[in-house]
Amino acid sequence: MDLPHQFIAGTKAKATEVNENFQACKEAIETCGTDLKGVETNLEEFKTTIEPQVMPDYNNTLKEKAFIVSTAKNSITVKAGTIIRLELMEDDIRYLQVDEDTEYNIYELLDTGISSLTAGKDYYIYLVQKDEEDEETKEIIKTVELKVSLNSTFPEGYNSINSRKIGGFHTLCIAVTEANAPALVDTKIWSKHPAIGYNAGDIIPNSVWCLTHRPMSEPNGMVYVDKIDKWVDIYLQGGKDGNPTSVFGATVIDTRQQPNHQWDFQLVDKKLATDNDFMIFAEGSNQKTAIYGSAAPNPKTAGGHTDTAGKRMISGYFIEECCGYLWQWLDEIAPTGGSGFSNYDGSAARGQSYGVPYCLLAGGAWDDSSSCGSRSRAANDSRSPTSAYAGGRGVSLPLRAA
């Protein structure tokens, strides 16, 4: 601010000049005060606009963590308020900003241009660079778009710099119809089986994951089960020693001790299910039936099988072969007595067991017929035996994003 009069140190100031300077200061303060009020108003409006997008939900009013969902079989919806950053270079940072729920036809996003999805596969959703020329000005408009790919690293035609993985989903392996859907024991949860009407290659709705809604493990071949707030492998265990555990068509792992199933899952940030977990996520499966032929498939593969009644072996959460294929080890151990140390794993490399701890198995195997079901349990095996009739299924806790 410039004052009308400048005073020199050591001289006597005139009252009129002092008053004029005071008046100038007063007017400047009043002007600044008005401006500051305007700034405060603008800041409050900005805060109100931006808080729902980037601020913590202190009042716990947001009920969904997912910003990508699927309510149709061949599309995804990005939720209103979504803002995602794509940093190409230090001076080239772009954003996807979605102001209202926006639905995308999945076929229009495929990086290969193919108009279908492969059954029983994991697909990945990417935010990618998009540069287009304005027809009138010829100016290059720098923006972003979505792409979907089978590639788990980056879509066809892109690289790790100009793309960012933001989500994904799994597709149904075999169709479920009114005719081949398992009958529901009751309709307290669903009026009809949720998988009815889904064809091979359709998006499994509860398999959709994103940066803020995903498991601690890799999300491949998993679905979210809201009743237990956990992610569950769609398929019986098909890998061990750190390999993927839920893959359509994979050879099922059996003849393995319960602690070693636990170890397999620990290596990939999963665990065995509890008794309650299994009872919930297996609901809607075929009940009191075994796999077609009442014999072990040859080869033993994961996913897409039918039972002795010709019904798909799939739960209401789209989880395959919970009942009537293999007993599945649970994370439930009960000491039953006995004395003396024994090797639980054949080598005692990690210690011995004193007495005999028994473990629960769930679901029933191919030769258990009408005893199979979501609440079927076997309680007569310890941790030590291996059996061709028993396998595993992985469960992961959700990854909590701040």
Side-chain angles (χ1 to χ4, degrees):
M1 180 187 68
D2 294 328
L3 295 174
H5 303 284
Q6 300 297 320
F7 301 116
I8 301 172
T11 62
K12 186 176 181 180
K14 296 178 181 179
T16 302
E17 294 176 348
V18 171
N19 288 338
E20 288 176 354
N21 275 4
F22 177 80
Q23 183 62 29
C25 288
K26 178 175 178 293
E27 291 174 358
I29 291 170
E30 289 174 347
T31 300
C32 289
T34 302
D35 290 343
L36 284 173
K37 287 180 180 178
V39 170
E40 289 174 355
T41 301
N42 290 338
L43 284 174
E44 188 61 34
E45 290 176 354
F46 177 75
K47 179 183 176 185
T48 303
T49 302
I50 203 69
E51 269 188 355
Q53 300 173 13
V54 300
M55 297 296 289
D57 180 27
Y58 295 118
N59 296 322
N60 194 30
T61 57
L62 300 177
K63 300 302 181 184
E64 292 185 2
K65 296 291 184 182
F67 62 81
I68 303 176
V69 298
S70 178
T71 55
K73 302 162 190 174
N74 300 306
S75 70
I76 57 172
T77 297
V78 180
K79 303 295 287 182
T82 298
I83 299 176
I84 307 174
R85 172 188 174 107
L86 177 64
E87 183 172 353
L88 299 171
M89 300 175 64
E90 187 174 340
D91 61 349
D92 189 357
I93 300 173
R94 309 180 188 187
Y95 294 88
L96 172 72
Q97 180 170 337
V98 180
D99 297 324
E100 58 184 28
D101 288 3
T102 304
E103 186 175 8
Y104 297 86
N105 183 316
I106 209 69
Y107 304 134
E108 295 176 358
L109 303 181
L110 289 172
D111 58 345
T112 57
I114 299 173
S115 60
S116 64
L117 297 174
T118 303
K121 290 289 186 179
D122 291 292
Y123 282 83
Y124 305 91
I125 304 168
Y126 294 91
L127 184 65
V128 301
Q129 172 184 357
K130 182 181 180 182
D131 294 337
E132 56 184 359
E133 185 179 80
D134 186 281
E135 293 182 359
E136 294 183 2
T137 66
K138 304 303 180 183
E139 179 185 356
I140 299 299
I141 301 173
K142 297 181 177 182
T143 182
V144 294
E145 63 181 340
L146 297 179
K147 286 291 181 184
V148 170
S149 178
L150 277 169
N151 295 337
S152 61
T153 51
F154 38 79
E156 292 287 340
Y158 296 86
N159 55 49
S160 58
I161 296 175
N162 59 15
S163 67
R164 180 185 180 186
K165 189 190 300 181
I166 62 171
F169 56 85
H170 195 81
T171 57
L172 187 65
C173 60
I174 302 290
V176 181
T177 66
E178 293 278 0
N180 73 5
L184 299 178
V185 174
D186 61 51
T187 55
K188 291 184 178 66
I189 301 177
W190 308 291
S191 58
K192 69 174 186 177
H193 200 287
I196 290 175
Y198 280 80
N199 296 314
D202 285 347
I203 298 171
I204 297 176
N206 54 326
S207 74
V208 178
W209 62 273
C210 61
L211 298 174
T212 55
H213 176 66
R214 55 159 295 168
M216 293 179 65
S217 68
E218 290 298 318
N220 301 341
M222 303 192 82
V223 290
Y224 179 68
V225 179
D226 56 350
K227 296 291 185 183
I228 57 175
D229 191 26
K230 294 176 183 176
W231 291 78
V232 181
D233 280 353
I234 296 170
Y235 307 106
L236 287 164
Q237 182 181 346
K240 60 181 181 179
D241 297 327
N243 289 320
T245 59
S246 182
V247 179
F248 173 52
T251 300
V252 171
I253 300 295
D254 58 22
T255 317
R256 192 162 177 79
Q257 291 162 322
Q258 192 260 13
N260 290 325
H261 283 287
Q262 289 179 313
W263 179 248
D264 292 334
F265 290 123
Q266 178 180 325
L267 292 175
V268 292
D269 296 321
K270 299 179 185 179
K271 62 186 289 295
L272 291 172
T274 66
D275 172 64
N276 185 65
D277 289 343
F278 190 93
M279 182 182 73
I280 291 173
F281 69 65
E283 185 64 30
S285 298
N286 53 296
Q287 308 282 9
K288 304 187 71 173
T289 62
I291 197 167
Y292 180 78
S294 298
N298 186 18
K300 285 182 184 174
T301 56
H305 291 92
T306 55
D307 68 1
T308 49
K311 305 295 184 181
R312 282 277 277 111
M313 301 173 74
I314 186 171
S315 83
Y317 292 99
F318 292 79
I319 299 171
E320 300 276 336
E321 296 148 359
C322 295
C323 312
Y325 186 168
L326 286 181
W327 287 106
Q328 290 147 70
W329 288 107
L330 298 180
D331 189 23
E332 305 281 351
I333 299 176
T336 60
S339 61
F341 281 106
S342 60
N343 297 351
Y344 77 84
D345 64 354
S347 67
R350 290 181 173 85
Q352 295 178 305
S353 292
Y354 192 94
V356 184
Y358 274 50
C359 303
L360 276 181
L361 295 111
W366 64 79
D367 63 344
D368 291 305
S369 185
S370 60
S371 295
C372 299
S374 58
R375 302 185 185 182
S376 178
R377 301 291 184 270
N380 62 333
D381 278 312
S382 71
R383 303 174 78 200
S384 300
T386 62
S387 171
Y389 293 84
R393 187 183 302 273
V395 170
S396 176
L397 295 173
L399 180 66
R400 297 303 185 197

